[in-house]
């Protein structure tokens, strides 16, 4: 049986796309996951068939800080230790999903002449994948425009199979269901918008709210909130419209499910602007509506959500026309092509 190392972390968006390949990979691969002592370690606990390897990682801080001066030395140390761990596993291939966790794994595997396939979820390459591009054999991309770079191949975004098999939550309401989510950590802006306007919002919608670690428990009529769920597919199955950040993982899941979405991307003040690029691309191609955070207020948000609801049938019909690429199959074919 061949062996594969999966790696990626920092956010759930760097983990779940890799895990989308698990059910197919485990048929003929021994699966190992290289990650940090962070979110990915918690997520991987539910996968008993995967051997988890905790490695030292180096995170570059975008703001100017003295800690970044130590980064080259820490990275060298991380690569040295990661190489030892890879030698123990003796993998046939590495699949790197991005995030700072992936960098020492991709570099180490390359030095050991182990093939590396990476994947970029966003329209533009993240910092980690800019480094990894030099060391990988090929980089899969979610967006066709991103594949114009050397080594890059357009495959689309891998989607967990369970996403399309959700069951509606046991909640009865005559109101349409609005799902609000902000990524694995939650979104303070969206959370506060919901909390501060809940009385009015629940006149128009039954609100399903996945508020993350940055939110709080609230009791209210026509409202159901949870900090996190392992069954996001059931929330998707229940929702009529979605208010969300614009992480590529979630937006591509919503697109596959033909769910009308209003995207409020993470502000460029606290990000590299990748979510803004993703959201504008989705809006330009008719997949979603987009409001940048600086332009978003409750009345604007509500108006756009009600318009999505008003044009629900038309929106869903347009979403169904979009060509749906089987990214899982495309990536699995590349793994077969490159593995030793």
């Amino acid at each position: 049986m061949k062996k594969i190392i999966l790696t990626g972390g920092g956010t759930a968006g760097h983990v779940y796309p890799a895990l989308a390949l698990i059910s197919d990979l485990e048929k003929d691969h021994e699966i190992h996951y290289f990650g940090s002592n962070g979110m990915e370690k918690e997520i991987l606990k539910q996968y008993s068939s995967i051997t988890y390897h905790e490695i030292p990682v180096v995170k570059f801080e975008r703001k100017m800080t003295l800690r970044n001066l130590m980064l080259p030395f820490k990275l060298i140390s991380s690569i040295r230790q990661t190489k030892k761990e890879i030698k123990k596993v003796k993998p046939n291939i590495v699949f790197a999903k991005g995030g700072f966790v992936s960098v020492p794994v991709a570099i180490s595997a390359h030095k050991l002449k182990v093939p590396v396939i990476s994947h970029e979820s966003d329209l533009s390459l993240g910092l980690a994948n800019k480094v990894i591009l030099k060391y990988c054999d090929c980089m899969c991309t979610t967006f066709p425009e991103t594949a114009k770079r050397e080594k890059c191949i357009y495959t689309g975004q891998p989607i967990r199979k369970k996403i399309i098999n959700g069951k509606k939550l046991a909640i009865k309401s005559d109101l349409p269901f609005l799902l609000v989510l902000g990524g694995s950590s939650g979104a303070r802006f969206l959370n506060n918008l919901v909390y501060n306007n809940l009385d009015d919002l629940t006149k128009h919608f039954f609100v399903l709210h996945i508020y993350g670690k940055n939110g709080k428990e609230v009791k209210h009529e026509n409202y159901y909130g949870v900090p996190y769920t392992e069954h996001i597919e059931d929330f998707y199955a229940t929702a009529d419209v979605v208010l969300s950040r614009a992480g590529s993982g979630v937006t591509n899941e919503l697109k596959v499910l033909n769910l009308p979405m209003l995207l409020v991307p993470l502000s460029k003040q606290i990000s590299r602007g990748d979510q803004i690029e993703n959201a504008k691309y989705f809006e330009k191609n008719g997949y979603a509506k987009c409001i940048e955070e600086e332009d978003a207020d409750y009345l604007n948000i509500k108006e756009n959500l009600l318009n999505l609801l008003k044009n629900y049938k038309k929106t869903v019909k347009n979403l169904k026309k979009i060509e749906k690429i089987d990214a899982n199959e495309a990536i699995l074919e590349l793994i077969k092509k490159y593995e030793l």
Side-chain angles (χ1 to χ4, degrees):
M1 182 175 282
K2 293 186 176 182
K3 297 179 182 179
I4 185 170
I5 289 175
L6 306 178
T7 184
T11 69
H14 288 125
V15 182
Y16 284 129
L19 298 182
L21 306 173
I22 292 299
S23 60
D24 291 297
L25 286 173
E26 62 187 2
K27 296 172 185 175
D28 50 11
H29 286 83
E30 181 182 304
I31 304 173
H32 296 257
Y33 200 102
F34 279 41
S36 68
N37 185 25
M39 178 178 290
E40 59 271 23
K41 186 175 183 179
E42 288 300 310
I43 293 173
L44 266 293
K45 284 180 179 179
Q46 62 183 296
Y47 293 87
S48 58
S49 62
I50 302 175
T51 303
Y52 192 84
H53 302 256
E54 185 179 326
I55 60 168
V57 297
V58 180
K59 184 175 182 180
F60 177 81
E61 296 189 35
R62 296 184 183 277
K63 61 183 179 181
M64 296 297 293
T65 170
L66 291 175
R67 284 192 290 271
N68 283 339
L69 296 177
M70 296 300 296
L71 190 146
F73 305 101
K74 290 181 178 179
L75 182 59
I76 290 170
S77 176
S78 178
I79 291 170
R80 186 181 299 119
Q81 294 180 62
T82 302
K83 278 178 68 176
K84 290 179 181 178
E85 203 66 22
I86 291 176
K87 285 180 179 179
K88 293 178 186 177
V89 175
K90 298 179 181 178
N92 299 91
I93 196 164
V94 168
F95 180 73
K97 189 52 205 74
F100 56 88
V101 173
S102 296
V103 174
V105 184
I107 294 175
S108 299
H110 176 77
K111 289 179 178 293
L112 293 169
K113 300 189 182 328
V114 176
V116 177
I117 293 178
S118 56
H119 184 276
E120 175 56 64
S121 289
D122 295 312
L123 188 60
S124 61
L125 299 190
L127 182 60
N129 268 337
K130 285 180 179 177
V131 176
I132 291 171
L133 186 61
K134 178 181 177 180
Y135 299 95
C136 68
D137 292 82
C138 75
M139 180 172 289
C140 307
T141 72
T142 293
F143 297 90
E145 284 79 359
T146 319
K148 294 175 182 177
R149 287 173 174 263
E150 186 180 359
K151 289 190 185 179
C152 291
I153 299 173
Y154 171 49
T155 61
Q157 174 86 350
I159 301 291
R160 292 170 288 165
K161 290 182 179 179
K162 74 172 190 173
I163 290 301
I164 61 174
N165 296 314
K167 297 180 180 179
K168 290 188 176 183
L169 299 170
I171 301 174
K172 292 184 179 180
S173 176
D174 293 328
L175 293 170
F177 286 92
L178 166 66
L179 173 59
V180 182
L181 35 80
S184 52
S185 296
R188 284 191 178 91
F189 178 82
L190 294 183
N191 286 347
N192 290 334
L193 184 137
V194 170
Y195 298 143
N196 294 336
N197 300 282
L198 203 49
D199 288 340
D200 184 66
L201 195 59
T202 51
K203 291 177 183 177
H204 305 278
F205 300 95
F206 189 105
V207 179
L208 303 171
H209 188 191
I210 303 176
Y211 52 78
K213 65 182 181 182
N214 291 321
K216 61 184 178 181
E217 184 177 355
V218 172
K219 300 293 184 183
H220 198 285
E221 185 181 8
N222 298 328
Y223 173 88
Y224 175 60
V226 294
Y228 178 76
T229 177
E230 291 290 350
H231 301 286
I232 185 70
E233 68 275 12
D234 296 339
F235 284 77
Y236 287 161
T238 308
D240 294 298
V241 293
V242 180
L243 172 62
S244 176
R245 285 302 199 191
S248 185
V250 168
T251 52
N252 278 281
E253 288 175 351
L254 296 174
K255 186 177 75 169
V256 165
L257 294 169
N258 304 313
L259 271 169
M261 57 185 120
L262 174 59
L263 304 177
V264 183
L266 197 63
S267 169
K268 205 165 187 177
Q269 295 178 2
I270 52 175
S271 75
R272 67 180 178 88
D274 49 306
Q275 287 199 11
I276 296 174
E277 293 176 344
N278 295 344
K280 287 187 174 180
Y281 180 93
F282 264 54
E283 184 171 54
K284 177 183 175 183
N285 287 276
Y287 307 158
K289 293 293 293 182
C290 166
I291 305 176
E292 291 194 45
E293 187 171 315
E294 289 77 8
D295 300 323
D297 57 37
Y298 175 64
L299 292 178
N300 196 1
I301 293 283
K302 184 176 77 168
E303 180 183 0
N304 276 273
L305 288 172
L306 291 174
N307 281 336
L308 279 178
L309 199 60
K310 180 180 178 181
N311 298 303
Y312 178 82
K313 290 183 179 179
K314 180 181 178 182
T315 303
V316 171
K317 184 178 180 180
N318 289 338
L319 284 167
K320 285 181 177 179
K321 290 179 181 177
I322 299 168
E323 181 185 6
K324 305 296 196 297
I325 293 177
D326 190 338
N328 296 35
E329 183 178 342
I331 293 170
L332 289 166
E333 285 299 317
L334 286 169
I335 289 172
K336 290 179 184 178
K337 176 182 176 181
Y338 283 99
E339 65 187 348
L340 298 172

